[in-house]
Amino acid sequence: MEAILKTLREALGETAVLVGEDVRARPVSRIVQSGCAAGALVRPASTEEVALVMRLCHAAGQPVVPRAGMTGLVGGALAGPGEIALSLERMNRIEEVDPVTQTLTVQAGTPLQAIQEAAEAQGMLFPLDLGARGSATIGGNIATNAGGNKVLRYGMTRDMVLGLEAVLPNGEIVSSMFKIIKNNTGLDIKQLFIGTEGTLGVVTRAVLKLQPQPRTRQTVLGAFRDFASVATMLERMRAASGGSLSSYEIMWRDYYLLLTAPGRRPPPLSQDYPFYALIECEGADEEADNARFHAVLEDCMESGLMVDAVIAQSEAERIDLWRIRDDVHYLRTLDPLFVFDISLPITAMADYVDHLRAELQRRWQAVTLISYGHLGDGNLHIAVSCGSVADKAEIERLVYEPLRAFRGSVSAEHGIGVDKKKYLNFTRTEQEIAVMRAVKVAIDPKNILNPGKIC
């Protein structure tokens, strides 16, 4: 490694190559904010410099682990002493916002929030949104196919990417920087790098698809007596919103209690209901959108589906309601804490949570189970606090095992990394995993790029 680092210092500059305590000060994950164990951290400033790093490492058989905003939760960017961590933090420039083609061209190290703000300044919207928007980078979002709060309307990250540039493990640059939506010319190369967690290539630049900035937003936090009512109202909102429904976030009472505990977010509704949902529509016609929104709310209130509600009357009130959903950092007050990110059919969610709670309580006396998520796209987030760190494997088995019965997913939007590798076969068949491995071998036969991740 020393010979490679010497060459890289000469080519990229001394400040581009960090070692020792400068590396240890870097985060290991979203939870562990220092202690990176990589042998070195390299910070290229261009695609060509990334290519140089990869060519040298490929020739030497030197493993490289790409790093982004370090907001992941599955160990997808863990690096050991024998590995070089590769950070694109110096590649953080927005190159172009094009309102005509409704695209934004950006370097991979750019934070998501900066992209959102650049689009908004041009009257456009980049709809990918998640709580870690200030730290998460678009390269990491692409590598993990991030989801977030607006998947219901706009889809996952892969639905927002028109073109990509990436560096392969051998240092070759693949540039597929298209601004066009229709491109039916064989294999969609960019999809090789979206959601594959930096195991097939290092994304360096992207062309992102923008949307018109919504002119109106209607936001309501509703309370419900049972899960069936939450699900039924989702159906009615979809049918009656004229395509404007963008978010439908469910919160079990345990989550609402955690976020609205004394000294945290003030509770806008009573804490006594078993279910809550944060619902948002985005549109372009204020009068028509408001009329549709209030009509369906009134219908759901009169029919007893939604038993209480608070409607945001200003942007400040809207932000306060969203903080109840987004301020997940309060989960860190639980000890021990085990967090999960799964997908399953909406119709199975309530029974799944009830069954999981019962199984946990059967094994441990003191159990906290926090459930919340993106109901519209079947994504459930689970936080468990019980037992001790030594019980992690047993708790994981209880969370993941039931997903087999209805072909659910052990990872809805956070990826596999190293933490979920042993559970990949709960969701993927042997044949699917074999195809993944064959693609990895074909593109990275030396297994130097983010080795040991996914499968």
Side-chain angles (χ1 to χ4, degrees):
M1 184 185 294
E2 283 305 317
I4 294 174
L5 296 181
K6 181 177 183 295
T7 303
L8 289 176
R9 287 190 186 97
E10 294 171 352
L12 309 182
E14 288 290 334
T15 60
V17 180
L18 306 181
V19 295
E21 290 306 310
D22 289 334
V23 177
R24 304 296 164 261
R26 297 297 183 111
V28 175
S29 67
R30 185 176 185 177
I31 305 298
V32 182
Q33 288 300 301
S34 64
C36 175
L41 187 142
V42 178
R43 308 185 304 146
S46 67
T47 298
E48 291 69 29
E49 290 187 357
V50 174
L52 171 63
V53 173
M54 293 311 306
R55 281 198 302 273
L56 289 170
C57 291
H58 185 264
Q62 171 62 52
V64 176
V65 177
R67 287 168 62 94
M70 300 307 293
T71 61
L73 295 171
V74 296
L78 286 179
E83 298 173 322
I84 288 177
L86 181 69
S87 171
L88 303 194
E89 62 197 60
R90 297 170 66 198
M91 296 177 61
N92 57 9
R93 187 166 63 89
I94 295 171
E95 298 178 357
E96 179 191 45
V97 182
D98 186 344
V100 176
T101 61
Q102 297 190 330
T103 61
L104 184 149
T105 304
V106 65
Q107 293 180 325
T110 307
L112 173 59
Q113 186 171 331
I115 294 170
Q116 294 173 330
E117 291 170 352
E120 185 176 0
Q122 297 293 323
M124 306 295 291
L125 171 74
F126 184 59
L128 178 63
D129 191 37
L130 36 92
R133 62 185 72 84
S135 303
T137 67
I138 192 61
N141 297 150
I142 291 169
T144 57
N145 188 30
N149 299 330
K150 299 179 186 289
V151 171
L152 175 60
R153 180 170 180 181
Y154 299 104
M156 302 280 280
T157 298
R158 71 172 69 253
D159 299 300
M160 305 175 198
V161 178
L162 292 179
L164 279 186
E165 180 179 84
V167 177
L168 298 179
N170 64 3
E172 292 184 5
I173 299 171
V174 177
S175 185
S176 185
M177 294 287 285
F178 293 100
K179 284 187 176 183
I180 53 179
I181 295 174
K182 290 185 174 181
N183 183 13
N184 197 12
T185 53
L187 182 66
D188 191 353
I189 300 295
K190 69 177 181 289
Q191 298 298 343
L192 286 172
F193 309 108
I194 301 176
T196 50
E197 301 182 44
T199 60
L200 303 181
V202 181
V203 174
T204 53
R205 296 166 66 231
V207 179
L208 307 176
K209 181 169 62 175
L210 303 180
Q211 301 290 339
Q213 185 69 233
R215 298 177 185 173
T216 68
R217 280 192 177 96
Q218 298 82 33
T219 309
V220 61
L221 177 68
F224 301 82
R225 290 195 179 95
D226 51 50
F227 183 87
S229 297
V230 186
T232 301
M233 184 162 174
L234 170 62
E235 295 175 20
R236 294 195 185 180
M237 289 296 301
R238 278 174 161 161
S241 65
S244 65
L245 180 63
S246 59
S247 301
Y248 200 102
E249 302 291 299
I250 187 172
M251 294 167 272
W252 271 250
R253 181 172 180 262
D254 299 273
Y255 180 85
Y256 189 74
L257 286 174
L258 180 74
L259 269 288
T260 60
R264 298 176 186 176
R265 306 306 310 169
L269 296 174
S270 166
Q271 297 174 319
D272 296 330
Y273 300 108
F275 296 95
Y276 302 82
L278 182 60
I279 306 164
E280 187 163 88
C281 292
E282 298 177 321
D285 186 329
E286 184 169 4
E287 184 176 348
D289 293 338
N290 280 332
R292 280 195 299 265
F293 184 75
H294 286 89
V296 69
L297 290 190
E298 289 173 9
D299 175 63
C300 291
M301 292 288 284
E302 290 175 1
S303 63
L305 287 178
M306 188 165 62
V307 293
D308 200 0
V310 56
I311 301 173
Q313 301 297 324
S314 66
E315 180 63 13
E317 290 184 9
R318 173 184 172 270
I319 290 172
D320 283 342
L321 291 181
W322 269 104
R323 282 175 176 162
I324 294 173
R325 171 57 183 84
D326 281 348
D327 286 357
V328 295
H329 58 84
Y330 288 118
L331 290 172
R332 296 179 188 174
T333 61
L334 303 176
D335 186 30
L337 174 62
F338 307 97
V339 294
F340 304 92
D341 154 50
I342 62 174
S343 280
L344 65 164
I346 294 173
T347 52
M349 279 188 177
D351 287 344
Y352 169 86
V353 172
D354 289 345
H355 172 78
L356 176 60
R357 189 186 306 278
E359 287 297 301
L360 292 169
Q361 290 175 342
R362 190 165 66 85
R363 287 164 171 76
W364 292 279
Q365 189 171 22
V367 172
T368 298
L369 175 63
I370 307 291
S371 309
Y372 64 105
H374 317 294
L375 183 67
D377 43 273
N379 180 186
L380 193 59
H381 296 299
I382 297 286
V384 176
S385 182
C386 63
S388 68
V389 174
D391 296 310
K392 179 182 178 183
E394 175 66 4
I395 293 169
E396 288 176 341
R397 188 187 66 79
L398 292 175
V399 170
Y400 294 139
E401 183 67 40
L403 299 176
R404 290 177 182 263
F406 30 75
R407 198 80 195 271
S409 175
V410 298
S411 180
E413 56 184 1
H414 290 167
I416 296 298
V418 294
D419 289 356
K420 298 187 180 185
K421 279 182 63 174
K422 61 185 175 182
Y423 303 106
L424 184 60
N425 66 343
F426 283 25
T427 298
R428 296 290 199 171
T429 65
E430 289 183 16
Q431 293 77 15
E432 288 176 303
I433 294 173
V435 169
M436 293 183 198
R437 289 173 175 161
V439 172
K440 171 68 171 174
V441 169
I443 294 177
D444 185 15
K446 291 188 175 183
N447 192 30
I448 67 162
L449 191 52
N450 213 8
K453 310 304 194 301
I454 303 183
C455 61

